[in-house]
Amino acid sequence: MVEKTLEISLLYDFYGELLTQRQNSILKYYYEDNYTLGEIAEETGISRQAVHDAVHKAERSLHSYEEKLGFLRRFRQREADIGKAQAAIDQIMADHSENKDILDKLISVREILSSLEE
């Protein structure tokens, strides 16, 4: 369940603005505010079943946007590539720890990679 919540939260970050206002608010209640389906139903004035259906429809929409646009996939790939580059920098720094010029340049590259992670 934690993985699904994380996945939907990331998809929501990328594509939440593409959802309808109703879907957007229901997902916010459900995933960000941790409301139960019953609490969302009370808050929005619709049935618990309608909330359930809206949550699942919104989730399907988010997955559909990801299939078509791939922003989350590219984000994850970029994060993995940055991690690999940082590991390579660490290895080079260990292999050339006596060379201050190389270390200074690698520190600069590491700072650039860190800024890309933000």
Side-chain angles (χ1 to χ4, degrees), residues 95-113:
D95 293 345
H96 300 281
S97 60
E98 72 288 340
N99 189 326
K100 184 173 176 5
D101 188 46
I102 288 176
L103 292 177
D104 289 342
K105 289 176 181 172
L106 289 172
I107 289 170
S108 295
V109 172
R110 177 179 275 154
E111 289 172 1
I112 292 168
L113 290 172

Side-chain angles (χ1 to χ4, degrees), residues 41-59:
E42 285 180 26
E43 190 72 28
T44 59
I46 60 176
S47 71
R48 185 184 178 288
Q49 184 61 48
V51 171
H52 178 269
D53 293 344
V55 167
H56 288 286
K57 184 176 180 183
E59 289 173 350

Side-chain angles (χ1 to χ4, degrees), residues 70-88:
F71 293 145
L72 180 57
R73 177 182 37 79
R74 286 191 295 245
F75 171 79
R76 286 181 167 156
Q77 184 61 54
R78 186 182 77 178
E79 293 292 306
D81 291 344
I82 289 170
K84 289 175 189 175
Q86 288 177 331

Side-chain angles (χ1 to χ4, degrees), residues 1 4 6 8 14 29 40-41 52 58 63 67 69-70 72 81-83 91 96 101-102 118:
M1 182 64 180
K4 178 184 177 187
L6 177 60
I8 295 298
F14 281 104
Y29 284 134
I40 298 169
H52 178 269
H63 285 289
E67 281 180 29
L69 301 171
L72 180 57
D81 291 344
I82 289 170
Q91 184 61 52
H96 300 281
D101 188 46
I102 288 176
E118 297 174 356

